[in-house]
Each structure stands twice: as structure tokens, then as C-alpha cells.
């Protein structure tokens, strides 16, 4: 069965860095669209970064451009999110998500959490 497991969250001071990892299993990882979402308290879940199966086409939400870097290693069935210059407003639970077809959707739909069928349990990032 499909399983996504995030790790790497923690507490950090503003301006610091964290690297999140998502270990996938149970499906053909290399052909799946992968994404990072986050959800802050009392806010809706929002897409942070999307990466296509080949790892070449990548999208970021405007608020993290230039600070976050998404990457994947298909051989290791893993995805990463390098977060630099962290801000208090980056505080949230971060989730990895996977879907076979989400990356093929129109731009608006790619960021829709309902387009992603598989989710990890989340990892907390707190920036103070």
C-alpha cells in the first residue's frame, strides 16, 4: 500500500534553515507528481511546492520563492524541501502529497489539495 512518511521538522529561530524529507513506498514513485503542502493553525492547507516526476519542472508558491527548494531522488523514492531564511509565518504542519496526475492539471488545479490522493502524516515546523 502507498505510504508517505515525512521527517525533519522542528523548531528554529527566524532566519534559520530546515530540511524536510518524505520517504515514499508502495507505488511507482518516479511517475508520480509530488508536492509539499502546509497548514498553519486556523488556516486552510496551502500548496508550497510541486515537482514533476522527472524532477525538472518545479513550481513554488510566491511566498517561498527564493527561500525554499524542492527536490526528489527517484532512486531513493524520496522528496525533499530545503527551507532557508525561515520566517515566523512559515510555522505550520508540513505534508507531502502524491498523485499520478496532479501535475498534468491546469495551474489552478495543481495547487488544489483535493487533486492529491496520497498524504503523509505531517511534520511540524515552528519558527520563532
Amino acid at each position: 500500500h502507498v505510504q508517505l512518511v515525512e521527517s525533519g521538522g522542528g523548531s528554529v529561530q527566524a532566519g534559520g534553515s530546515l530540511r524536510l524529507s518524505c520517504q515514499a513506498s508502495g507505488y511507482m514513485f518516479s511517475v508520480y507528481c509530488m508536492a509539499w503542502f502546509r497548514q498553519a493553525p486556523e488556516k486552510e492547507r496551502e500548496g508550497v511546492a510541486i515537482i514533476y516526476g522527472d524532477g525538472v519542472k518545479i513550481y513554488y508558491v510566491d511566498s517561498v520563492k527564493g527561500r525554499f527548494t524542492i527536490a526528489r531522488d527517484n532512486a531513493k523514492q524520496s522528496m525533499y524541501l530545503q527551507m532557508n531564511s525561515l520566517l515566523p509565518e512559515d510555522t505550520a504542519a508540513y505534508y507531502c502529497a502524491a498523485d499520478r496526475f496532479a501535475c498534468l492539471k491546469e495551474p489552478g488545479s495543481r495547487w488544489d489539495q483535493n487533486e492529491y490522493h496520497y498524504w503523509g502524516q505531517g511534520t511540524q515546523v515552528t519558527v520563532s
Side-chain angles (χ1 to χ4, degrees):
H1 67 284
V2 174
Q3 191 170 19
L4 300 173
V5 180
E6 302 97 334
S7 61
S11 296
V12 65
Q13 291 189 337
S17 298
L18 284 173
R19 185 180 189 237
L20 305 184
S21 298
C22 174
Q23 180 66 55
S25 61
Y27 66 102
M28 193 177 293
F29 180 80
S30 63
V31 302
Y32 269 64
C33 177
M34 298 293 296
W36 287 100
F37 284 75
R38 65 185 179 185
Q39 187 167 20
E42 301 182 359
K43 290 190 176 180
E44 292 189 0
R45 190 172 296 187
E46 67 166 349
V48 175
I50 297 169
I51 186 166
Y52 281 47
D54 61 6
V56 175
K57 191 167 288 187
I58 288 171
Y59 298 100
Y60 297 99
V61 68
D62 286 346
S63 60
V64 308
K65 285 180 180 177
R67 301 188 298 121
F68 290 12
T69 302
I70 189 172
R72 64 191 294 162
D73 184 333
N74 287 341
K76 295 182 178 179
Q77 297 196 98
S78 295
M79 178 178 66
Y80 309 97
L81 186 68
Q82 178 66 43
M83 306 186 295
N84 298 328
S85 302
L86 283 161
L87 303 169
E89 49 262 47
D90 295 318
T91 295
Y94 283 72
Y95 299 87
C96 70
D99 189 84
R100 178 69 178 87
F101 302 107
C103 287
L104 304 178
K105 303 288 186 177
E106 294 181 353
S109 295
R110 282 196 294 259
W111 294 104
D112 184 347
Q113 60 174 315
N114 295 309
E115 295 292 341
Y116 292 82
H117 278 77
Y118 304 113
W119 291 84
Q121 83 289 348
T123 187
Q124 179 67 35
V125 171
T126 302
V127 185
S128 59

